[in-house]
Amino acid sequence: MSSEADQTVPTSVYVHFPWCARKCPYCDFATEPVKTHTIPHEAYADAVLRELSSRAADLQERELVSVFFGGGTPSLWDAKALERTLEGIEEAFDSVSDDVEVTVECNPSSLSRQQARELHEAGVGRLSIGVQSLRDDHLRFLGRLHDSRQAVAALEGACAEVPRVSADLMFGMPGQQLDAFGMDIERIVAIGVGHVSAYALTIEEKTLFGSLHKAGKLRVAPEDRYADLFELAQRRFTDLGWKQYEVSNYAAEGEESRHNLHYWRGGAYVGLGAAAVGCLDRGPGDAFRWRNEPIPQRYLAHPTHRTETENLGPDEIVREALMLGLRTARGTDLVATQRRAGRDPRVGRERDLELAMQKGDLVQDGDWLRVPHDRWLKLDGIVRDLF
Ligand code: SF4
C-alpha cells in the first residue's frame, strides 16, 4: 500500500472473460458459447497480462480501487489463472486501495462452494451471481443452464465462503406474477445476499429472442406489467431497509457495488480482455476510450489490438456524466463533472434543466443534480429531454 495514494487517480479495472457454457437466447453481450474443456485458461491469463504490461505507461500515478471480472462467465475460468491475473493487475499499479473491491461474475451452473472458497482465497471479496429467477419455468424460458435448486445452492455456498454476494434478477417474463417475484426477492435476501441487480428483460435485435419476437413467436410481459414489477421491487427492498442506489440496483447498508458507482460517477477505468472497453481522462475536456479486439481467438493472438478508439471532448463527457449519474440516487456531481469536462455541464441546456426542475423531474441538492426517486419509471425520457 502506498502513502502517496492521495496524489494518485482512483482507477478501476474491468476484465472481460469472453466465453459461456451456452449462449442465452436474450443475451447480446460479447460472449461465445464454448465446450468448457476447451477453454484456454492459462493462455487467456497470459494474454490479459501481456495486454496489461503494454498499458504500463497508462497506469502511472494511479490507485487501483476495484477490479471486476465480468463476461461472459468468469466463474468458468480456473481460479488459479484468475488469481495470477489479479496479482498481475495489483502489481501493475503504483498503489492499491486498502479496501480494493474485487468482484467475479458467476453462473449458478458453474459455481460450487469449493470454487467460491478458491476464489476467496485468490483475493476475491465479492461474487455477483446470475440467478435471474428462482422459478424453474422462468429459467427454462430464459434458456438458463441452472434450475432454482442450483441457484439456491450457489447462493448459499457463495454466502458461506465470500464476504459479499450479489444476485442478478430479471423481470418481465411472460406470465410472471407479482407475488412470485416478491417471493424470489425475499428468499434471496433471506439466504444472506446483500445486493441485488434487478433488470427488465429486454428484447435485443441480434439475439434469438430478437428474431422470435420479430416473427411474432415470442410472448413477453405487457408494458404495464413491467412497471408493476419494477414498483414491486422498489417496495420490497425499501421494506427490507435496502436502498435503490441506482435504477436497477438495490443494496443493504454499505453493500453498494463500489466498482459500478465509480463507473457511473465518471471514474477512470482500464478494460482488459477480449471486447473490453476502457476510458481514461487525459486532462479537462479530454478523455480517451478504446475497445479491444472482440473475437477471443484473435485477442489471444493479438492482445494489445484495439478495434475502436474514440476521443471524448467536453460535450461527450458532460453527456455521459448526466446519462450515467442521473440513473443513481445521488445523481450527477456538477462540480466533479465541470472539473472533468473543463466547462459547466449546465451551459447550453439551461432551459431544459429549468423546465425539468419546474415539473419536479429534476432536483438540485447543493452540487448534485438528481432525478427524484418517484420519477424513476420515466427516467429514460427525463434524461433524453436534456439532449
Ligand atoms: S450466461 Fe450471461 S453472459 Fe453468458 S450468454 Fe447467458 S446472459 Fe449472456
Side-chain angles (χ1 to χ4, degrees), residues 45-336:
D46 290 343
V48 171
L49 292 170
R50 256 176 72 202
E51 184 198 350
L52 179 71
S53 56
S54 78
R55 309 242 183 276
D58 289 335
L59 306 182
Q60 303 302 304
E61 295 176 6
R62 293 185 176 277
E63 182 183 47
L64 181 67
V65 292
S66 66
V67 184
F68 194 101
F69 291 88
T73 309
S75 52
L76 291 174
W77 203 359
D78 178 72
K80 285 281 165 227
L82 187 146
E83 180 175 12
R84 188 158 67 85
T85 308
L86 178 59
E87 283 170 359
I89 292 168
E90 294 190 337
E91 280 164 18
F93 276 77
D94 279 357
S95 68
V96 178
S97 164
D98 288 340
D99 60 353
V100 63
E101 179 186 83
V102 181
T103 304
V104 176
E105 278 187 338
C106 306
N107 269 337
S109 53
S110 56
L111 183 71
S112 63
R113 180 162 176 176
Q114 165 73 15
Q115 199 180 0
R117 185 179 311 139
E118 285 171 11
L119 286 171
H120 188 220
E121 285 165 3
V124 175
R126 187 170 181 272
L127 298 182
S128 172
I129 304 178
V131 170
Q132 315 311 350
S133 173
L134 291 183
R135 288 187 56 111
D136 289 338
D137 52 343
H138 290 157
L139 290 168
R140 275 194 300 274
F141 169 80
L142 293 171
R144 303 292 301 195
L145 278 171
H146 62 274
D147 59 19
S148 57
R149 196 186 44 78
Q150 283 173 302
V152 170
L155 290 170
E156 287 174 345
C159 289
E161 299 294 342
V162 180
R164 300 173 65 204
V165 178
S166 173
D168 283 356
L169 277 181
M170 203 167 263
F171 62 90
M173 284 75 87
Q176 187 174 20
Q177 299 298 320
L178 295 179
D179 288 0
F181 186 44
M183 274 160 57
D184 278 5
I185 291 171
E186 274 156 29
R187 278 181 76 193
I188 283 171
V189 172
I191 291 170
V193 166
H195 182 281
V196 169
S197 302
Y199 296 106
L201 171 65
T202 47
I203 306 299
E204 306 292 345
E205 211 184 346
K206 290 183 185 150
T207 62
L208 179 61
F209 272 11
S211 312
L212 291 171
H213 195 250
K214 202 168 164 199
K217 292 181 180 161
L218 186 79
R219 203 164 61 86
V220 289
E223 194 77 4
D224 55 352
R225 176 53 62 99
Y226 275 89
D228 291 345
L229 290 160
F230 178 79
E231 286 177 339
L232 175 118
Q234 285 186 316
R235 280 197 306 277
R236 283 292 151 98
F237 284 113
T238 305
D239 291 349
L240 289 161
W242 286 31
K243 276 214 190 82
Q244 186 181 16
Y245 71 105
E246 195 263 356
V247 67
S248 302
N249 285 277
Y250 301 85
E253 181 72 34
E255 288 292 320
E256 295 87 353
S257 161
R258 296 199 289 274
H259 180 86
N260 285 344
L261 275 174
H262 177 82
Y263 170 72
W264 294 322
R265 290 181 180 157
Y269 61 98
V270 175
L272 299 171
V277 174
C279 187
L280 296 175
D281 287 356
R282 291 189 289 208
D286 183 15
F288 177 68
R289 180 158 56 206
W290 73 90
R291 184 170 195 245
N292 285 346
E293 166 61 59
I295 310 286
Q297 291 309 324
R298 282 200 221 144
Y299 174 82
L300 282 163
H302 305 287
T304 58
H305 184 212
R306 294 164 164 168
T307 51
E308 291 167 40
T309 57
E310 190 184 358
N311 294 314
L312 307 185
D315 288 349
E316 288 92 353
I317 292 171
V318 167
R319 169 185 284 264
E320 294 195 357
L322 291 172
M323 283 185 1
L324 296 173
L326 292 178
R327 296 176 63 82
T328 65
R330 189 86 201 272
T332 297
D333 182 342
L334 296 171
V335 172

